[in-house]
Amino acid sequence: MGEYMEKTGKLKLAFYMVRIGDRLEALELFTGSVSIIIFVGAIFINVVSRQFFTAVASADEISRFAYIWAVFLGTGVGIRHHSHYMIDVVRGLLKGGVAKAADILTWAITTVFVLTLIMYGFPYAMVTISRFSQPSGIRLIFSTICIPIGGIAMLYFLLEQAALALAGTNLKAIQEKLQEGGTK
């Protein structure tokens, strides 16, 4: 394992980024799962309250906010596993250098988009810090801050992909090596 790690500093960087990425992914999956549970629970409460009592306006809002969080957190995980930003049918038709160029172009466009989310997401969230939702009185920042937070996670996973490409390896190979015994 030590010999494998000493091959190149780029590989070492990839190992460290994957270690951190694994923790970040676990955090995103946990938080996203909690968001989905809140989403489903709020919808259930809203449906039951409409049938038997008076509708709970804040339940609709809470479900919407939780859904937004789940989407932005799930997008980071999707980027990490290459499941969101390229049409598989088109990618499957490409071979060799054309496929590599398409991957690089897709990575670059996605990176620009994610940087835009971060750059404009923080000011947008700060504008909503003093604004409240009408039905429930919940501060809107609770739903808007997920845009830059999710963007930062997406950016990390894009940088992880770049480190893996520079090291000439992939996520699965690094994770298998880490399971075998770490980087020492």
Side-chain angles (χ1 to χ4, degrees):
M1 183 64 175
E3 182 181 312
Y4 184 78
M5 280 298 295
E6 291 172 9
K7 282 185 179 177
T8 173
K10 293 175 187 173
L11 188 57
K12 200 174 223 179
L13 174 64
F15 266 88
Y16 290 123
M17 291 196 75
V18 169
R19 270 189 173 166
I20 294 167
D22 287 345
R23 289 182 178 100
L24 179 58
E25 180 181 359
L27 177 64
E28 280 193 296
L29 289 173
F30 174 78
T31 308
S33 297
V34 169
S35 295
I36 290 172
I37 290 167
I38 292 170
F39 169 72
V40 171
I43 289 175
F44 178 77
I45 289 169
N46 201 11
V47 169
V48 169
S49 67
R50 281 184 192 170
Q51 293 298 317
F52 301 108
F53 310 108
T54 305
V56 180
S58 59
D60 187 41
E61 254 183 342
I62 290 169
S63 67
R64 193 174 314 120
F65 291 172
Y67 183 74
I68 292 168
W69 271 95
V71 166
F72 276 94
L73 294 174
T75 302
V77 175
I79 284 175
R80 187 174 202 216
H81 294 284
H82 302 277
S83 61
H84 276 298
Y85 55 85
M86 184 173 274
I87 300 170
D88 290 335
V89 173
V90 174
R91 177 61 176 85
L93 297 173
L94 304 175
K95 303 286 184 223
V98 176
K100 189 83 161 166
D103 288 343
I104 291 168
L105 179 65
T106 302
W107 182 88
I109 291 169
T110 304
T111 302
V112 169
F113 176 74
V114 167
L115 288 172
T116 303
L117 282 178
I118 296 168
M119 285 177 19
Y120 292 103
F122 273 117
Y124 177 60
M126 291 302 106
V127 165
T128 64
I129 199 165
S130 61
R131 295 186 180 167
F132 297 88
S133 172
Q134 290 302 317
S136 66
I138 297 172
R139 286 186 188 266
L140 290 177
I141 192 166
F142 292 120
S143 68
T144 58
I145 195 67
C146 68
I147 297 168
I149 289 173
I152 289 169
M154 291 177 223
L155 181 62
Y156 184 85
F157 291 133
L158 287 165
L159 293 174
E160 178 188 65
Q161 287 176 3
L164 290 167
L166 289 173
T169 188
N170 61 46
L171 180 63
K172 187 175 180 181
I174 298 285
Q175 286 175 328
E176 287 171 0
K177 287 291 182 184
L178 286 170
Q179 285 178 349
E180 287 176 12
T183 60
K184 295 185 181 166

